[in-house]
Amino acid sequence: MAPIPVPGVETPGDDGDGATELNFDEQFYPARPRSLRPRARRKLTFTGDLTPPLQPVGTNKAYVEWLVNQSMLGDATMMARQLAGQSSMWNNPYAHPNPRRAVETAPVWFTAYPLSLITGRGQSFLSALGSDDLWQAFERIGIKAVHTGPVKMAGGITGWEPTPSIDGHFDRIAMAMDPLFGTEDEFRAMCENAARHGGTIIDDIVPGHTGKGADFRLAEMNYRDYPGIYHMVEIPEHDWGLLPDVPEGQDSVNLDAETERRLQEAGYIIGQLQRVIFYEPGVKETNWSATAPVTDTKGGRRRWVYLHYFKAGQPSINWLDPTFAGMRLVMGDALHSLLDLGSGGLRLDANGFLGVERSAEESPAWSEGHPLSEAANQLIGSMVRKVGGFTFQELNLTMDAIKATSEAGPDLSYDFVTRPAYHHALATGDTEFLRLVLREGIRTGIDQASLVHALQNHDELTYELVHFATTHSEDVYTLGGVEMAGADLAEHVRETLRRRLTGEAGPYNAVFTQNGIACTTASVITAALGITDLEAMSAEDVERVRSAHLLLAKYNAWQPGVFALSGWDLCGALPLPRDQVKSLVRTGDTRWLERGAHDLMGWNPDTHQSASGMPRATSLYGTLPEQLSDPRSFVSRLAELLAVRESAGIATGTLLDVPDGSHAAMLVLVNRLADGTLQVTVLNFGEEELRGTVMSQALPAGSRVVDLSTDEVVAHVDELGSFRVSLGPFGGLALVVHEDAGAPAAG
């Protein structure tokens, strides 16, 4: 990892030409004066005692000041002072989420992953994402936004030295751009070029945790407000016997369940949480870790126990500390991305874990679906809307929690609601569980247009199904004619996915802890198709994969909401062989199998890895230029289905009905578009041709059914509110229903 950069200070304020920046809705930001473009400082300045040796300890004022100048809280404080009192901070409505405005701004996303994009020789990740040839290709496909993934400094600091990221740069430690990915100027240039092509850049903030960077090291030293950033509790020296020893070479150790219980009984921590994410025996058995002894700024010795929902290197932020230091840090990071760098939207990573509270005795602490998470999300969402941007949350909680946070918090939510369900439909050739989930979403009150419907992303195929496994664990559902409790339903679906997609069925895929399956979209499909040897695939096999891949694209794109896909999808990437990433997966993080490097534009055809060192994955489909020159390619056919989506306005519609189909593999979605027109999506999740009947009470008798791809009338709705369709293997139809004069009104 490169050393932490220390660029000079950029003076905030007018650039001297009297110009103002453009509005976000018009091109970039509203008529915002240059004075409302704050600069984070990140300047290394020593004013303390420089007498060698410069030990990295709390009693060395030079070291403490260096940490402060690297810290996110320090940057956030400076930016807040620059923005306070500016009238332009009141130009935009912010109280209520506006998902359709966000969808209209950015209806189709490319979700990048910095470590895996192969760039040209000497070209940075950010420079590649901002290149004109890439955006020309995106325009032809119909991609209107790029979600960059995390590109700021991440990992930790030990002494004076940075340490690598332990979670794909989601353990942020600074507002500075990581030089591994490029410069701030390249980020701004990327935003500007995206705007020229009608696009938007979406950045990340992580409101739930940081890495073990300057902020955490200052917190360990009990310096000023910094301990208030985190859920951390000091353990007095007379009780250090309650704490485990920290192994040599490490700075903390995870608590086992017995130690967690003893500290809870002693009144230090709230103890067990509702679940242990990334649970692994001997590695992470609880959500708490203890630090090694640390010298504070007055020469004392301190040990702390701190909360981390995820890995030990991701200490959790405390949103209700009296200093509100954590809140200030997160807000500063958000405003830096929007106002300084030029992003139009932000992902809120894992933002459902912002509140934790002691529960009744013998019960786990309340850590999911907490009202504080809702309040914190409202604050973040409101602040971002206040300056003209939008947010989306990556929140794998119950549908009820997603509904609650969407009422006042982020504008959009990641579709953890149906993602495992549509994979289940493909794996089984039966859409019953997918229909059940979609109907449960309607019942809960989730607006499909507020969801980001995605193919593969950087994470595993998450199948925790927490809606059924937790809050609704005792509710009764029916699947395959069998009644079962929600918890049993969730486990039945998980076991089906494991059996159909891993092991002998898909030896190239892998289970990832208790969370899901590490795979690419292409390797989900190959397993579902019974292809076990990826090296022996024929041209016919590739075409079968491509057809199923397009079906999944139609499912995600031909319904209201955002449609998102990755470079792995565009190239048809397969998982990496285990021996190519054995050093990365040895701790159990099998997700690295699915994160192979890919070369979208053919920038560097001879290289075998990305600049970050990720090995190149096998690509079934080829580069974007190659595919755009072939009308039968995945990308060319993707562009056609996205054009149908765009011309009809499907993205901003409303899901009305998910009726049963006349065939197990059939899925029917009935939507009402913004102009009041009824639109029907019909999909075949099987590899056999089918003829079936679409029936819904929402369909008015006598209406004409028109194929949006051809503008041809393909059927008429009969008196029962039904019509017949014919679908080829993995086929799909996007239809619109036109009422003839005198026809009954839709229900």
Side-chain angles (χ1 to χ4, degrees):
M1 186 172 182
I4 294 176
V6 287
V9 173
E10 293 186 70
T11 303
D14 197 284
D15 284 355
D17 59 3
T20 57
E21 296 195 357
L22 297 178
N23 192 322
F24 171 84
D25 288 319
E26 296 172 6
Q27 177 168 332
F28 239 27
Y29 292 108
R32 231 177 245 147
R34 292 282 183 182
S35 60
L36 194 60
R37 188 166 173 187
R39 293 286 190 266
R41 56 183 170 184
R42 297 188 299 282
K43 183 180 181 182
L44 181 58
T45 309
F46 291 108
T47 58
D49 180 13
L50 297 179
T51 304
L54 299 178
Q55 296 98 337
V57 293
T59 52
N60 182 346
K61 293 182 180 179
Y63 180 60
V64 171
E65 183 172 347
W66 181 79
L67 288 175
V68 170
N69 281 314
Q70 301 294 334
S71 72
M72 298 175 71
L73 182 58
D75 273 345
T77 300
M78 175 166 284
M79 293 185 65
R81 290 170 181 163
Q82 296 172 35
L83 293 169
Q86 297 283 340
S87 61
S88 300
M89 289 289 290
W90 298 96
N91 280 348
N92 297 290
Y94 64 87
H96 303 292
N98 193 342
R100 282 169 176 76
R101 173 187 172 274
V103 171
E104 287 172 351
T105 300
V108 180
W109 299 358
F110 170 75
T111 55
Y113 191 64
L115 300 178
S116 299
L117 184 69
I118 293 175
T119 62
R121 295 183 183 276
Q123 185 182 38
S124 72
F125 167 78
L126 293 174
S127 176
L129 271 191
S131 64
D132 202 59
D133 57 344
L134 179 62
W135 274 97
Q136 287 179 23
F138 282 168
E139 263 196 295
R140 290 182 61 186
I141 297 168
I143 294 170
K144 299 294 184 68
V146 166
H147 174 214
T148 62
V151 292
K152 294 182 179 180
M153 292 291 296
I157 293 176
T158 298
W160 298 91
E161 299 298 323
T163 57
S165 170
I166 50 88
D167 190 30
H169 274 70
F170 287 99
D171 44 346
R172 179 167 297 170
I173 62 172
M175 294 186 195
M177 205 64 58
D178 192 322
L180 180 67
F181 305 129
T183 67
E184 290 194 358
D185 286 341
E186 288 176 329
F187 194 105
R188 295 187 186 100
M190 173 182 62
C191 293
E192 292 164 3
N193 198 34
R196 281 192 289 271
H197 289 273
T200 301
I201 298 299
I202 304 167
D203 196 6
D204 285 79
I205 63 169
V206 188
H209 57 260
T210 70
K212 288 185 176 178
D215 297 275
F216 186 74
R217 298 309 178 199
L218 289 164
E220 288 181 308
M221 296 173 187
N222 199 38
Y223 182 74
R224 295 186 178 176
D225 289 351
Y226 284 83
I229 296 173
Y230 301 102
H231 285 285
M232 58 192 306
V233 178
E234 184 184 0
I235 308 300
E237 190 166 359
H238 64 75
D239 269 342
W240 283 9
L242 294 173
L243 303 177
D245 293 330
V246 177
E248 185 71 27
Q250 298 183 27
D251 62 4
S252 67
V253 62
N254 188 246
L255 305 185
D256 60 26
E258 177 59 24
T259 303
E260 177 187 62
R261 185 189 60 77
R262 290 200 306 267
L263 287 169
Q264 179 183 9
E265 291 177 348
Y268 287 119
I269 63 175
I270 60 177
Q272 180 185 0
L273 272 56
Q274 288 172 258
R275 58 176 167 150
V276 180
I277 300 173
F278 296 167
Y279 175 85
E280 187 173 351
V283 177
K284 188 189 177 190
E285 298 184 0
T286 72
N287 295 296
W288 301 90
S289 286
T291 70
V294 176
T295 301
D296 67 18
T297 56
K298 296 182 180 180
R301 301 282 282 172
R302 297 178 184 269
R303 289 194 73 182
W304 307 80
V305 171
Y306 67 94
L307 175 69
H308 53 94
Y309 286 99
F310 300 98
K311 298 182 180 181
Q314 296 168 294
S316 294
I317 291 174
N318 184 353
W319 274 80
L320 205 57
D321 183 82
T323 65
F324 290 98
M327 182 189 299
R328 288 153 49 201
L329 181 153
V330 173
M331 293 299 189
D333 193 23
L335 292 172
H336 172 246
S337 288
L338 294 161
L339 300 182
D340 188 351
L341 298 180
S343 303
L346 295 174
R347 175 175 65 170
L348 313 183
D349 179 67
N351 64 313
F353 308 101
L354 307 185
V356 60
E357 179 179 333
R358 183 187 299 274
S359 296
E361 192 172 352
E362 303 300 327
S363 297
W366 186 7
S367 56
E368 298 184 18
H370 194 283
L372 178 57
S373 287
E374 298 171 18
N377 279 289
Q378 181 176 4
L379 287 169
I380 300 169
S382 294
M383 179 64 80
V384 172
R385 286 188 290 272
K386 198 174 184 184
V387 297
F390 67 88
T391 55
F392 82 99
Q393 62 184 359
E394 189 175 355
L395 180 63
N396 188 16
L397 296 179
T398 66
M399 299 184 203
D400 312 81
I402 293 173
K403 172 66 164 56
T405 56
S406 68
E407 290 176 352
D411 300 282
L412 303 167
S413 297
Y414 198 86
D415 184 4
F416 285 117
V417 177
T418 74
R419 190 164 181 251
Y422 76 73
H423 285 103
H424 181 270
L426 181 71
T428 62
D430 190 332
T431 65
E432 183 181 5
F433 179 63
L434 177 54
R435 285 179 273 124
L436 184 157
V437 170
L438 286 162
R439 290 167 184 164
E440 186 79 352
I442 293 174
R443 183 196 64 78
T444 305
I446 290 179
D447 180 1
Q448 287 296 108
S450 72
L451 298 180
V452 178
H453 310 290
L455 292 173
Q456 184 188 350
N457 65 10
H458 66 281
D459 273 332
E460 74 285 355
L461 190 175
T462 303
Y463 62 14
E464 292 171 293
L465 297 169
V466 292
H467 179 84
F468 302 101
T470 59
T471 305
H472 298 273
S473 61
E474 297 182 5
D475 293 358
V476 176
Y477 300 90
T478 301
L479 184 69
V482 178
E483 289 189 347
M484 58 186 83
D488 296 329
L489 173 67
E491 179 51 33
H492 171 75
V493 171
R494 287 193 292 264
E495 176 56 30
T496 299
L497 288 171
R498 287 191 293 265
R499 188 176 68 254
R500 299 287 183 114
L501 302 181
T502 66
E504 292 183 2
Y508 33 77
N509 298 326
V511 172
F512 171 64
T513 64
Q514 297 176 320
N515 292 60
I517 297 172
C519 54
T520 67
T521 303
S523 72
V524 167
I525 296 168
T526 54
L529 294 178
I531 300 171
T532 58
D533 185 353
L534 299 182
E535 295 183 0
M537 290 178 65
S538 65
E540 181 183 354
D541 289 332
V542 173
E543 179 54 37
R544 294 168 68 205
V545 171
R546 188 159 39 221
S547 296
H549 208 156
L550 286 164
L551 167 75
L552 300 185
K554 289 173 183 176
Y555 166 74
N556 286 285
W558 286 352
Q559 64 174 304
V562 168
F563 170 54
L565 75 169
S566 65
W568 299 295
D569 289 305
L570 290 172
C571 294
L574 297 176
L576 295 167
R578 282 169 173 74
D579 61 358
Q580 290 192 10
V581 285
K582 58 185 177 183
S583 64
L584 294 172
V585 302
R586 67 169 179 262
T587 61
D589 195 343
T590 54
R591 293 175 298 176
W592 294 106
L593 296 172
E594 70 191 41
R595 296 170 176 168
H598 45 273
D599 188 349
L600 288 177
M601 298 300 294
W603 282 315
N604 201 345
D606 297 326
T607 189
H608 297 292
Q609 62 183 28
S610 68
S612 303
M614 284 301 297
R616 183 193 284 264
T618 297
S619 168
L620 297 180
Y621 305 154
T623 66
L624 298 188
E626 291 169 343
Q627 293 191 67
L628 287 169
S629 66
D630 176 6
R632 298 301 302 161
S633 70
F634 174 79
V635 161
S636 291
R637 286 189 274 179
L638 174 69
E640 292 173 358
L641 72 89
L642 291 180
V644 168
R645 164 189 164 94
E646 175 76 13
S647 63
I650 294 174
T652 55
T654 301
L655 178 63
L656 294 182
D657 189 20
V658 186
D660 287 333
S662 56
H663 191 286
M666 180 186 290
L667 178 72
V668 179
L669 305 177
V670 181
N671 305 306
R672 187 175 297 282
L673 305 181
D675 64 2
T677 303
L678 287 173
Q679 187 271 322
V680 180
T681 296
V682 190
L683 303 172
N684 177 9
F685 276 80
E687 204 174 4
E688 301 295 327
E689 183 174 348
L690 67 83
R691 299 178 184 274
T693 300
V694 174
M695 179 181 291
S696 171
Q697 293 181 355
L699 300 176
S703 297
R704 290 175 292 117
V705 181
V706 177
D707 187 332
L708 284 168
S709 298
T710 64
D711 289 329
E712 295 179 355
V713 176
V714 295
H716 287 81
V717 179
D718 62 24
E719 294 180 354
L720 298 176
S722 68
F723 61 89
R724 298 279 294 172
V725 294
S726 178
L727 295 170
F730 300 127
L733 292 170
L735 308 168
V736 67
V737 178
H738 292 300
E739 294 187 49
D740 290 328

